[in-house]
């Protein structure tokens, strides 16, 4: 359907499997050796090598595609990592992702908590709080059983001096 006026004229088609899709006239005018079967995103994505690459990537990382229909590489999907965290990402960006943001955040917090405990032990103190941010204070019990409030930055300076 549609009337041709110029290369930016939009046309609606129905493929042999009944999927409705639109294309600009320039898609047909300027695509050499056009394979009309690849014009329908839904049909083409089923055999799309990029989509297969994404599925293999997910399988290798033990991640699960929760939702999201592949129309093109910019389509958004929801993925669940092997630790149960869900996040939204484009199909294009997915194979570039080395790890889940929540997993990285959890691992960083564990790392920072170890640093807090280590710095407090160097002073003979006991950490009472866990890491929140680089700019938050941590409470610690000093050797006189008094509660001290120390910045995370100060604790790191203690570690760097050892």
């Amino acid at each position: 359907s549609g009337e041709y006026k110029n290369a930016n004229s939009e046309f609606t088609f129905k493929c042999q499997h009944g999927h409705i899709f639109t294309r600009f006239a320039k898609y047909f005018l300027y695509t050499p050796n056009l394979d009309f079967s690849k014009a329908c995103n839904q049909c083409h994505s089923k055999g799309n090598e990029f989509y297969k690459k994404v599925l293999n990537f997910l399988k290798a990382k033990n991640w699960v595609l929760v939702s999201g229909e592949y129309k093109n590489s910019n389509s958004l999907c929801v993925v669940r990592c092997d630790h149960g965290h869900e996040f939204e990402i484009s199909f294009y960006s997915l194979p570039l992702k080395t790890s889940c943001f929540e997993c990285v955040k959890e691992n960083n917090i564990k790392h920072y908590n170890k640093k807090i405990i280590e710095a407090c032990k160097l002073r003979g103190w006991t950490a009472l709080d866990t890491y929140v941010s680089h700019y938050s204070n941590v409470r610690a019990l000093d050797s006189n059983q008094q509660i001290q409030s120390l910045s995370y930055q100060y604790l790191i300076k203690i570690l760097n001096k050892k």
Side-chain angles (χ1 to χ4, degrees), residues 68-114:
E69 181 183 337
Y70 182 84
K71 294 178 183 170
N72 59 47
S73 61
N74 294 320
S75 303
L76 293 177
C77 62
V78 176
V79 173
R80 183 181 308 120
C81 79
D82 53 342
H83 292 105
H85 306 122
E86 291 187 3
F87 55 94
E88 186 176 63
I89 191 168
S90 71
F91 281 95
Y92 175 79
S93 298
L94 194 53
L96 306 173
K97 190 138 181 85
T98 56
S99 58
C100 161
F101 176 74
E102 287 299 318
C103 289
V104 169
K105 190 166 94 177
E106 285 177 6
N107 287 334
N108 284 343
I109 288 173
K110 287 177 189 172
H111 171 75
Y112 296 136
N113 281 335
K114 285 180 186 176

Side-chain angles (χ1 to χ4, degrees), residues 40-54:
C40 173
N41 283 334
Q42 286 182 288
C43 291
H44 182 58
S45 69
K46 291 176 183 165
N48 187 304
E49 290 304 312
F50 178 77
Y51 184 64
K52 287 179 185 175
K53 179 181 174 184
V54 168

Side-chain angles (χ1 to χ4, degrees), residues 2-11 23-27:
E3 182 181 321
Y4 180 81
K5 294 177 184 167
N6 59 39
N8 291 322
S9 299
E10 195 170 16
F11 293 90
R23 286 287 176 269
F24 292 106
K26 62 184 168 190
Y27 177 81

